[in-house]
Amino acid sequence: MWSAKIIVEYKEGILDPEAKAIKSAFNTMGHHEIRDITTGRFFHLEFKQEISREEAEIKLKEVCEKLLSNPVIEKYKFELEEVA
Amino acid sequence: MWSAKIIVEYKEGILDPEAKAIKSAFNTMGHHEIRDITTGRFFHLEFKQEISREEAEIKLKEVCEKLLSNPVIEKYKFELEEVA
């Protein structure tokens, strides 16, 4: 059985509005020792059927591109792990 | 200098509305081989001043509890790493 860890982040050069808001809050709160922050999302996904690594990768690619990320502004990566 | 990786997830037993929506979309899209998905957020944070590990941990705890997570429904963990 396969389990996957997926990470979705903004592409380089894309404005990260949440990070911008957080940085502005750091200043308001007096955390001037913080230089930078970036944000992202992650997902843990579990397959229930016995499928091959190739099939799992094809499924994951489709799910990442159509559902979990916006390929125009975001990049994703995933790691597949075999679980008992 | 310190760099931190922060992970924020829902606590056990808290309904994850994004995961629920994604699971329902999996069904609509015909991905019946997916058993479960959980979601979370992550942050990479960089300090700009030379501070001690203890000071960095206190700052991080404050930032996580007041700004990056909702401690009522979410849990967080962070890893501090020394960078050049």
Side-chain angles (χ1 to χ4, degrees), chain B residues 4 31 44 67:
Chain B
H31 296 307
H44 287 154
L67 199 57

Side-chain angles (χ1 to χ4, degrees), chain A residues 2-8 43-47 51-69 76-81, chain B residues 26 29 31 33-34 36-37:
Chain A
W2 298 100
S3 155
K5 208 185 214 174
I6 303 157
I7 278 182
V8 179
F43 305 91
H44 287 154
L45 191 150
E46 277 174 39
F47 289 94
I51 53 176
S52 68
R53 173 178 276 273
E54 289 67 35
E55 284 174 304
E57 282 179 357
I58 290 166
K59 279 285 168 193
L60 273 175
K61 213 168 163 251
E62 190 184 342
V63 158
C64 285
E65 286 177 6
K66 294 199 177 152
L67 199 57
L68 303 182
S69 78
Y76 66 85
K77 59 184 173 192
F78 58 76
E79 279 168 32
L80 258 180
E81 197 192 352
Chain B
F26 284 157
M29 290 165 77
H31 296 307
E33 61 286 86
I34 295 166
D36 201 15
I37 187 162

Side-chain angles (χ1 to χ4, degrees), chain B residues 7-20:
Chain B
I7 278 182
V8 178
E9 285 174 296
Y10 285 105
K11 288 181 177 171
E12 303 292 321
I14 301 288
L15 180 76
D16 180 341
E18 190 182 359
K20 210 181 155 204

Side-chain angles (χ1 to χ4, degrees), chain A residues 10-39:
Chain A
Y10 285 105
K11 289 182 177 171
E12 303 292 320
I14 300 289
L15 181 75
D16 179 342
E18 190 181 359
K20 209 180 156 204
I22 294 169
K23 271 191 264 188
S24 139
F26 283 158
N27 285 331
T28 314
M29 291 166 77
H31 295 308
H32 301 295
E33 61 287 85
I34 295 166
R35 184 214 305 270
D36 201 14
I37 187 162
T38 59
T39 74

